[in-house]
Amino acid sequence: MITLHHLDQSRSFRILWLLEEIKQPYQLQRYYRDLTTHLAPESLKSIHSLGKSPIIELDGKVIAESGAMVELLIQKFAPHLAPNIKDAAYADYLQWIHFSESSAMVPYLLKIFNSIESQHGTKLVFLENYAQVEFDKVFSFLNDYLENKKYFVANRLTGADFMMGFALNSLIYKLNQAENYPHIKSYVDGLTMLASWRNAIEIENSLNLK
């Protein structure tokens, strides 16, 4: 049995969505953010010392990196969600899986953190300019790449979409960037029509009501 330690409003949505897609039985352990700090609760540290989510327990192992989770779950339970390792598309698949937490997430988070600091009166000089340059560069590149594309790799749903989809959905609907990146918006809106995405959203919303 797979156990997902799931924090509301977090990157754990990727794994929840993937588990709904592969239809593999799993147990969901719910965690909620601290109402004051908005950080993960201390109780997550009893599962992994970093105290972050997502975390899965699989085959006696505790795994705390979402990219590794996506790769392992697909290899074990849903190989159809990855190109064959001998296919040319496999290199693209790996690139996009890791792009999400490296190239894409850094400017996304800097944009959010800089906004919070500015609202509290912090004067930003180098960091604000650097973050904006990286933000524009990364997401303009992605917007161009996704023109007329429904999925990231091989014209079909793969693990790359589970990693990238969360970040890009947040870009469009949390940072309100739809007007600036129309091809990303089209891509995200396509994902939200998938039954597995809708199931994961329903589960997430039901958890937040408790």
Side-chain angles (χ1 to χ4, degrees):
M1 173 70 74
I2 302 163
T3 299
L4 170 61
H5 297 272
H6 178 75
L7 177 66
D8 68 306
Q9 304 174 55
S10 79
R11 286 173 253 193
S12 184
F13 179 82
R14 291 170 172 151
I15 310 305
L16 179 62
W17 172 29
L18 177 58
L19 289 170
E20 286 298 307
E21 176 66 29
I22 66 180
K23 296 180 172 58
Q24 188 69 23
Y26 66 94
Q27 183 178 35
L28 191 67
Q29 295 291 330
R30 302 171 300 182
Y31 300 83
Y32 299 94
R33 294 183 179 276
D34 184 279
L35 294 177
T36 301
T37 66
H38 203 59
L39 297 176
E42 288 293 311
S43 55
L44 266 170
K45 290 183 178 179
S46 66
I47 310 300
H48 190 282
S49 57
L50 287 177
K52 296 183 177 182
S53 178
I55 300 169
I56 62 169
E57 295 181 70
L58 175 66
D59 297 335
K61 296 284 290 184
V62 174
I63 303 159
E65 286 294 328
S66 55
M69 294 176 211
V70 167
E71 290 195 58
L72 286 170
L73 290 170
I74 287 174
Q75 287 171 10
K76 189 172 180 66
F77 301 111
H80 63 281
L81 291 175
N84 187 286
I85 195 169
K86 296 180 180 179
D87 291 349
Y90 191 78
D92 297 325
Y93 170 74
L94 286 182
Q95 172 183 262
W96 291 119
I97 280 183
H98 295 286
F99 190 98
S100 180
E101 283 298 293
S102 54
S103 296
M105 194 55 69
V106 171
Y108 172 82
L109 290 176
L110 282 176
K111 185 82 166 175
I112 292 176
F113 296 156
N114 286 353
S115 175
I116 293 171
E117 288 299 309
S118 295
Q119 290 172 15
H120 285 80
T122 303
K123 183 175 176 57
L124 301 171
V125 183
F126 168 79
L127 193 57
E128 176 64 27
N129 181 65
Y130 171 80
Q132 190 62 53
V133 168
E134 288 298 303
F135 187 91
D136 293 341
K137 178 171 62 178
V138 166
F139 293 110
S140 292
F141 165 66
L142 288 170
N143 190 66
D144 291 343
Y145 177 81
L146 286 170
E147 184 174 6
N148 299 320
K149 285 187 176 68
K150 188 175 180 181
Y151 300 113
F152 264 90
V153 178
N155 297 314
R156 63 185 177 89
L157 184 68
T158 70
D161 299 296
F162 289 89
M163 289 299 293
M164 293 297 300
F166 169 81
L168 296 184
N169 181 72
S170 298
L171 171 81
I172 297 301
Y173 290 109
K174 289 190 177 180
L175 295 186
N176 300 312
Q177 294 289 320
E179 184 176 340
N180 295 328
Y181 304 109
H183 304 313
I184 293 178
K185 182 180 183 301
S186 294
Y187 164 78
V188 167
D189 288 348
L191 295 182
T192 65
M193 298 302 293
L194 297 173
S196 55
W197 179 288
R198 295 198 301 270
N199 290 344
I201 287 290
E202 185 175 345
I203 292 169
E204 175 93 341
N205 289 342
S206 70
L207 298 180
N208 292 336
L209 291 174
K210 296 184 183 298

